[in-house]
Each structure stands twice: as C-alpha cells, then as structure tokens.
Amino acid sequence: MRVLVGCEFSGTVRDAFLRRGHDAWSCDLLPCESGGPHLQGDVRDVLGDNWELAIFHPPCTHLCSSGARWFGKKLREQAESLEFVRRLLDAPIAKMALENPVGIISTRIRKPDQIIQPWQFGHGETKATCLWLRGLPLLVPTRIVDGREPRIHRMRPGADRWKNRSRTYAGIASAMAGQWTAAIEKEGL
C-alpha cells in the first residue's frame, strides 16, 4: 500500500508502516531525522500522487488550545493554518487520518472522530491527541499504562521544544500501522 505521512520530519509513523512492508513516505519542509523514504517539500504538492492512505500531522502552533491566550494576536496565521487543514482533509485520498492536539479545528471545521492519549498505547504520559478520520476505524488502545505524566506540557523552553513536542509516540504509530493496515486488508478480502 502507498502511504503518505504528511508533515512528519521524525519518520516515526512512516517507519511503523515500512516495518509492515508498505511503500511509505514521509513529507515535510524539513529533512527527515531518521533517513528513509522522505519527500522534502510542501505536502500539498504531492497530495494527488495516488496515495492509498495518508496520515497528516499539520503544525499545531496556531491551532492548539495550549496557545489560546495568543489567539487574538494571530488571526491571519490561524486562518492560514485552518485553510491548510481543509486542503489536507479535501485531498483525493480515500483513507485518511489527520492528527492534532485539542484546538480550533474542532470548532472551526468539525469535531474529531476520536481523542487518544499516549498512556493508552504504552507511554505513561498525557497528551490529548485528536484524530479526524476518513475510511479508517477508531484506534483501539493497545497497552494502558500507569504514570500519566504531562511531560509534554512541562517541557522546558528551548530551540527544539516545538520539535520534541510534535513527535508522535512510537506506541501510537505502531497502533496506526497495525490496526489501520488490518482494517484496509480486511476490506480487500
């Protein structure tokens, strides 16, 4: 299956699909941290390239509720970010997931299909993550763990803080690859 993981510089989700034998590519304006199949550039330029599945991680800087206190000062940036999200959601790809923290996508575009937490997938941390889905089932928790530490929320300021906060947890990436692959393969039978 041809899989596009848009707005991903880490390669975490892409690599989970590669391990399952898929033709998976990440795409981001930044180079990929881990090597592997990566398209460096604007994901909008490759949306029509016959992908069978796409998982998008649009930048949340102007979208997530954690930055709500600055919303009044960035109306133009928010409008541009929301238009980017709409463009991703309108891509000609039958199976799709868009991931973002709790924020204005829920009120300006539509409510998410699911909200997941890292602690449901083997990581003892909290980080509410919304999923907007098309043609895909809800993710089922794979390993509920204790801990529930808000590590992302408490992360110290620094040059790479935004990068460290935006990486997908390996347990969530593995669940996406495993569960969505199984669902798509079952449909093909």
Side-chain angles (χ1 to χ4, degrees):
M1 174 170 48
R2 292 198 72 222
V3 180
L4 172 64
V5 184
C7 310
E8 182 189 53
F9 63 87
S10 68
T12 304
V13 176
R14 180 213 53 215
D15 291 347
F17 280 91
L18 284 172
R19 284 190 292 277
R20 295 197 164 267
H22 297 293
D23 180 18
W25 290 77
S26 54
C27 181
D28 197 272
L29 296 173
L30 298 174
C32 185
E33 292 179 330
S34 63
H38 183 72
L39 303 165
Q40 188 172 345
D42 191 327
V43 70
R44 291 172 288 194
D45 294 337
V46 298
L47 292 178
D49 290 355
N50 297 315
W51 304 102
E52 296 167 273
L53 169 64
I55 297 120
F56 297 118
H57 307 276
C60 66
T61 305
H62 306 299
L63 300 170
C64 65
S65 293
S66 62
R69 64 181 168 216
W70 295 288
F71 279 2
K73 296 180 180 180
K74 55 182 182 177
L75 297 176
R76 182 181 52 80
E77 293 89 344
Q78 278 186 339
E80 291 170 358
S81 295
L82 286 165
E83 184 53 38
F84 180 65
V85 167
R86 284 184 188 97
R87 177 83 186 274
L88 296 177
L89 290 172
D90 289 341
I93 304 167
K95 310 289 186 193
M96 178 187 306
L98 188 131
E99 171 275 337
N100 225 248
V102 173
I104 63 172
I105 296 173
S106 299
T107 56
R108 305 280 182 86
I109 297 177
R110 72 174 176 91
K111 297 225 178 282
D113 297 291
Q114 182 176 24
I115 299 176
I116 59 173
Q117 290 277 356
W119 55 262
Q120 296 173 304
F121 300 91
H123 304 276
E125 301 177 21
T126 60
K127 182 185 178 191
T129 302
C130 300
L131 297 175
W132 290 264
L133 305 171
R134 179 167 68 214
L136 296 171
L138 301 178
L139 288 178
V140 176
T142 55
R143 198 178 106 210
I144 295 176
V145 298
D146 295 326
R148 318 264 168 102
E149 171 72 26
R151 183 185 65 82
I152 296 296
H153 177 72
R154 293 183 180 155
M155 198 173 282
R156 294 195 179 275
D160 287 336
R161 183 175 192 255
W162 69 272
K163 275 182 155 182
N164 295 329
R165 288 173 56 102
S166 69
R167 286 188 183 89
T168 301
Y169 288 87
I172 293 173
S174 180
M176 288 175 170
Q179 293 178 33
W180 291 341
T181 293
I184 292 168
E185 288 174 350
K186 185 177 179 181
E187 276 183 14
L189 295 177

